[in-house]
Amino acid sequence: MLELRINGFGGQGSVTLAHLLAQAALENGEQGQALPFFGVERRGAPVRAAVRMSPATIYAHSQCELPDYVIVMSEKLTEAAVSEGINKNGTVIINAPYPLKVEKYPTWQVDADGIAGEKGLFSADGLFINVPLFGAACRVLNIPGKVMEQTILNKWPGNGGSNLDAAREAFKAVRLIGT
Amino acid sequence: MRTAQVIMETGAHAAALAVKCARVDVIPGYPITPQTSIMEALSAMVEKGELDARFIPVEGEHSALAAAVAASAAGARVFTATSSNGLLYMHEVLHMASGGRLPVVMCNVNRGIFAPWTLWADHQDSFAQRDTGWIQFHCSSNQEVFNTVLQAFRVAEQINIPVMVNFDGFVISHCFMPLNVPAQEDIDRFLPLHEPEWRLDPAHPSSFSNVTNAAEYASFRQMLSQDIMASIPLVKEAAQSYKDITGMWDGDTIDTYRMEDAEVVVLAVNSMAAELRLSVDILREQGIRAGLLRPRLILPFPAQDIIDALPQNAQVMVLDRNYNFGHHGGILASELKSVLFGRRHDITVKNRVMGIGGVDLTRRFMADEIRAMLDE
């Protein structure tokens, strides 16, 4: 069983990102689970979600305390996200406009804000960065590009256009910063 | 068996889909976190014409269950849902539904009770309704919620007792996971249309729930008590028939895991009992022969099935997500001890309360707790 934790700010779309990843696991022939932590939500406050993927039935229902992957939706949260707990063999995926390395952990970086802006994924008060981050995470998790695309088309039937472009772009652009 | 459709859904939407598949007639509703998304989904289904039912928005939970009681007395198949303080506000009408022998099915999304305010899962709300005469299931997964709502209607209508289907707020209600939805034809075979023996009907006026004399009242109460106990074989039969038709099985009155040679038996309900499978695996790796016994049914309490499932000389670690105020520990432990008294002198019972108000219960934490309880 693979465990992931998403750390983000309220309003960045972490719940949808968690749902997309769980859906991609099912699309990929596995079981998937998205378990966002719901608090008293506020825009801009730190939020988190658990995601699990497994070939077998998933029984876990806790938040992921020592995840195999941590997805950091804003580089400002990097230190806080990693200090919440990560598997000693864990990997970090960070949305940052510049290359960034977390000490001791393999770190992948993608400029999700840049890609979202370039592909026109504007929300009411910012950018939809969850879709490019989904693309980047699929690449890091070895989820095939076709599964990624099908998941987006299932989520937004007939309206995958800029979402597909953004996910594909992030799939290509995400970089391993060093081990 | 026809091929089931696999979709991704939350536990709350799994409940709403089961209600749709049960072809309910009337849904009175009042929203409360974290139950709200059940009511949102059902009202949308009615609005779009996907579900041919009457959705009745009301001004509070007392009225929601009162409307459910009235519609059920008129012969409708009725569903409602609530949580936490909403369930407490229904308390008086819960007795009306069971005493009136009305087969209402209600989901309660378990959440801690005010005060102080909390939004997250514990089991004080449903356990506080233990003595209201409702049959109570507690579910550990989205799929089990779906399956149990359907089984609940079947049992309720067979014995004319309302059934509460409980599952944890957020941890299940907002957990997004694969859900098998059987073909509607298979569900219809499992759950035929509701045909009550009696109903309130303006064309044939009759009165309902008159004042009774002491002997009449006592006889009604005795019948209710006896019939609640008589629901146990119906619960088993419903689980078996559901399995025969859909291929899915969550246990009947109880569900067990790695019990065959268990020396340490963990007993708990709801989502923590799913996570506990992983704790049992951890304990086994550490050389402790652990097993899990999860009551699905907590009212009536499946005494005989629990007694039969416990290996000789087992230590039972009861993990309660509620308080039994006035006693040490929780309510499940108290229920278990009353069942064992005079019947199984070989069993030791230990108890801890945990996870109150949504405190996260991880597999490692619970394995550590159980290991610590061994030394008590």
Side-chain angles (χ1 to χ4, degrees), chain A residues 1 3 18-19 22-23 26 31-40 52 58-63 65-66, chain B residues 6-8 10 119-120 140-142 170-172 174-178 271 274-275 277-278 360-364:
Chain A
M1 180 170 66
E3 296 190 297
H19 282 200
Q23 191 92 49
L26 188 75
Q31 302 281 306
Q33 179 197 61
L35 185 51
F37 177 79
F38 288 92
V40 184
R52 293 185 171 92
I58 296 166
Y59 290 104
H61 278 83
S62 53
Q63 293 296 311
E65 55 176 352
L66 295 173
Chain B
V6 183
I7 56 172
M8 294 292 284
T10 63
L119 301 175
W120 300 282
S140 67
S141 71
N142 294 17
F170 295 112
V171 180
I172 296 289
H174 289 60
C175 179
F176 185 73
M177 284 190 76
S271 64
E275 182 95 15
R277 283 174 173 250
L278 309 176
D360 201 25
L361 293 173
T362 66
R363 54 191 184 263
R364 294 178 190 91

Side-chain angles (χ1 to χ4, degrees), chain B residues 6-276:
Chain B
V6 183
I7 56 172
M8 294 292 284
E9 268 307 353
T10 63
H13 283 187
L17 269 174
V19 172
K20 180 188 171 198
C21 291
R23 302 182 185 276
V24 298
D25 302 305
V26 177
I27 307 162
Y30 187 78
I32 178 171
T33 299
Q35 159 265 32
T36 307
S37 48
I38 302 178
M39 283 303 158
E40 282 172 351
L42 286 170
S43 64
M45 287 173 191
V46 172
E47 183 69 22
K48 287 181 200 159
E50 295 167 2
L51 171 57
D52 182 19
R54 174 88 184 270
F55 187 89
I56 308 174
V58 292
E59 84 295 352
E61 289 88 354
H62 192 277
S63 299
L65 194 55
V69 158
S72 184
R77 179 173 281 167
V78 188
F79 175 84
T80 190
T82 190
S83 177
S84 181
N85 281 66
L87 181 62
L88 306 194
Y89 190 29
M90 286 177 172
H91 182 81
E92 179 197 19
V93 198
L94 290 172
H95 288 275
M96 172 70 210
S98 58
R101 303 303 297 264
L102 298 167
V104 174
V105 169
M106 174 162 70
C107 281
N108 175 60
V109 186
N110 289 107
R111 163 183 159 186
I113 288 171
F114 175 77
W117 282 119
T118 177
L119 301 175
W120 300 282
D122 76 34
H123 307 151
Q124 202 74 47
D125 55 357
S126 57
F127 277 58
Q129 312 310 318
R130 195 187 58 166
D131 301 333
T132 57
W134 282 56
I135 294 168
Q136 280 199 34
F137 285 94
H138 280 71
C139 303
S140 67
S141 71
N142 294 17
Q143 187 70 56
E144 189 181 358
V145 169
F146 179 92
N147 299 345
T148 306
V149 166
L150 294 168
Q151 293 171 22
F153 275 111
R154 178 159 152 147
V155 171
E157 291 167 9
Q158 281 172 339
I159 199 148
N160 293 313
I161 294 174
V163 178
M164 197 183 296
V165 178
N166 298 281
F167 55 94
D168 287 336
F170 295 112
V171 180
I172 296 289
S173 69
H174 289 60
C175 179
F176 185 73
M177 284 190 76
L179 180 74
N180 287 278
V181 180
Q184 185 66 46
E185 283 171 62
D186 285 339
I187 292 172
D188 291 344
R189 246 181 342 126
F190 173 75
L191 182 66
L193 292 176
H194 179 37
E195 284 172 11
E197 292 168 43
W198 167 90
R199 70 181 78 192
L200 280 176
D201 179 1
H204 303 91
S206 61
S207 61
F208 176 52
S209 239
N210 289 338
V211 174
T212 48
N213 66 34
E216 287 165 342
Y217 181 81
S219 130
F220 273 108
R221 302 304 278 181
Q222 186 185 20
M223 279 191 285
L224 177 59
S225 173
Q226 286 170 349
D227 286 349
I228 288 170
M229 296 310 288
S231 68
I232 288 180
L234 299 179
V235 167
K236 291 185 185 189
E237 190 267 335
Q240 187 58 52
S241 168
Y242 191 82
K243 185 188 179 191
D244 293 343
I245 291 173
T246 69
M248 289 189 274
W249 175 257
D250 307 293
D252 46 25
T253 64
I254 61 171
D255 177 30
T256 59
Y257 177 64
R258 301 188 84 165
M259 282 286 283
E260 298 71 29
D261 60 342
E263 295 171 346
V264 175
V265 174
V266 188
L267 190 144
V269 299
N270 279 27
S271 64
M272 65 191 286
E275 182 95 15
L276 275 166

